[in-house]
């Protein structure tokens, strides 16, 4: 068994244990394997181990991977910062976008979504710490953006996403994720919560994550 297969097995076990421990329905937690800076071969190894959802954060890197893996029927999640001149390629190639923060970007994604594809699934990226260095918008900016996205026929608003500042403390990780869960509940029921990475996914599951995005713990360290 390759490392990737073994790592995936371990993570799936950990997710199941966490779901059990925190009273979550395992079927409502999707694992996105973040394959940025990792090869097509690495993605193939994960796909062979029945991993379906993959995350990429740079469009130039993602396009050849998506093209090469067309026949594998994978689901692709864009999780990086979106420049307006890249919105078209994102709309053409991805199934999900987790990192929408602006109306103009949402409009561009809608315009460029090909008519033969289903609506592009959208999460809005939030920033709860109001750290200027990080992407994401504040709670009071979310509702107007949701209203605009709801009117765009080629987009489907799904939920909220967050990348908290790294924190080693489980309780603090949990508190931050819980804020996103509470924010989502105050907006509308049944939203997806895209939160939790290699170092904090257990706390994210405890707090209600429905999509966790894991790179290093599946594929190993990134060297670039
Ligand atoms: C890189 C990345 C991840 C995965 O991080 P790991 O710590 O390697 O699991 C998750 N989400 C986003 C937005 C990322 O850019």
């Amino acid at each position: 068994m390759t490392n990737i297969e073994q790592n995936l097995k371990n993570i799936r076990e950990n997710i199941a244990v966490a779901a059990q421990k925190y009273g979550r329905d395992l079927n409502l937690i999707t694992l996105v394997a973040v394959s940025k800076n990792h090869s097509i071969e690495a993605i193939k190894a994960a796909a062979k181990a029945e991993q379906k959802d993959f995350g990429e954060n740079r469009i130039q890197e993602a396009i050849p991977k998506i093209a090469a893996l067309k026949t594998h029927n994978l689901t692709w999640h864009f999780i990086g910062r979106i420049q307006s001149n890249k919105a078209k390629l994102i709309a053409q190639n991805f199934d999900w976008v987790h990192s929408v923060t602006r109306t103009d970007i949402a409009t561009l994604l809608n315009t460029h979504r090909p008519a033969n594809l289903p609506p592009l699934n959208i999460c809005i990226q939030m920033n709860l710490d109001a750290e200027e260095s990080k992407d994401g918008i504040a709670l009071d900016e979310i509702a107007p953006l949701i209203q605009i996205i709801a009117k765009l026929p080629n987009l489907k608003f799904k939920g909220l996403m967050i990348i908290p500042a790294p924190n080693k403390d489980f309780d603090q990780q949990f508190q931050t994720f819980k804020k996103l869960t509470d924010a989502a509940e105050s907006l509308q029921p049944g939203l997806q919560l895209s939160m939790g990475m290699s170092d904090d996914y257990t706390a994210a599951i405890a707090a209600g994550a429905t999509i966790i995005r894991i790179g290093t713990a599946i594929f190993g360290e990134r060297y670039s």
Side-chain angles (χ1 to χ4, degrees), residues 34 36 57 79-80 161 163 196-199 213-217 222:
V34 178
K36 65 186 188 197
N57 71 339
I79 59 173
M161 179 271 222
I163 311 173
M197 317 201 328
S198 291
D199 291 331
R213 312 175 310 264
I214 300 192
T216 311
R222 295 177 287 269

Side-chain angles (χ1 to χ4, degrees), residues 27-99:
N27 296 316
L28 300 183
I29 303 171
T30 299
L31 170 61
V32 172
V34 178
S35 46
K36 65 186 188 197
N37 294 340
H38 289 283
S39 66
I40 290 168
E41 290 315 309
I43 300 172
K44 278 187 184 161
K48 194 155 170 267
E50 271 154 48
Q51 178 61 31
K52 278 265 158 228
D53 291 83
F54 290 86
E56 289 282 337
N57 71 339
R58 288 209 317 262
I59 191 73
Q60 299 91 323
E61 179 187 337
I63 300 275
K65 290 178 172 175
I66 295 173
L69 294 157
K70 211 72 194 171
T71 57
H72 287 74
N73 287 322
L74 304 175
T75 299
W76 291 96
H77 300 250
F78 191 81
I79 59 173
R81 179 177 295 200
I82 307 168
Q83 295 166 270
S84 3
N85 63 350
K86 303 284 162 53
K88 182 175 183 178
L89 283 170
I90 293 170
Q92 289 171 334
N93 288 280
F94 282 82
D95 305 291
W96 284 74
V97 180
H98 291 231
S99 42

Side-chain angles (χ1 to χ4, degrees), residues 95-114:
D95 305 291
W96 284 74
V97 180
H98 291 231
S99 42
V100 171
T101 57
R102 284 163 31 194
T103 308
D104 60 332
I105 296 287
T107 306
L108 285 169
L109 291 171
N110 180 68
T111 303
H112 293 298
R113 182 64 170 173

Side-chain angles (χ1 to χ4, degrees), residues 16-27:
V17 167
Q20 169 82 26
K21 180 169 178 184
Y22 298 105
R24 299 284 322 285
D25 181 348
L26 188 56
N27 296 316

Side-chain angles (χ1 to χ4, degrees), residues 18 22 24 125-129 134 139 160-186 191-214:
Y22 298 105
R24 299 284 322 285
Q125 185 173 348
M126 279 194 74
N127 182 347
L128 291 165
D129 331 86
K134 283 193 285 156
L139 184 55
L160 305 180
M161 179 271 222
I162 193 171
I163 311 173
N167 193 318
K168 290 253 169 277
D169 183 76
F170 182 93
D171 292 325
Q172 287 172 22
Q173 292 173 354
F174 177 85
Q175 291 309 330
T176 306
F177 291 134
K178 186 70 172 54
K179 277 194 223 161
L180 194 72
T181 307
D182 293 344
E185 268 162 19
S186 74
L191 290 180
Q192 298 278 338
L193 290 161
S194 168
M195 56 190 197
M197 317 201 328
S198 291
D199 291 331
D200 55 15
Y201 67 92
T202 306
I205 290 169
T210 64
I211 303 175
I212 56 177
R213 312 175 310 264
I214 300 192

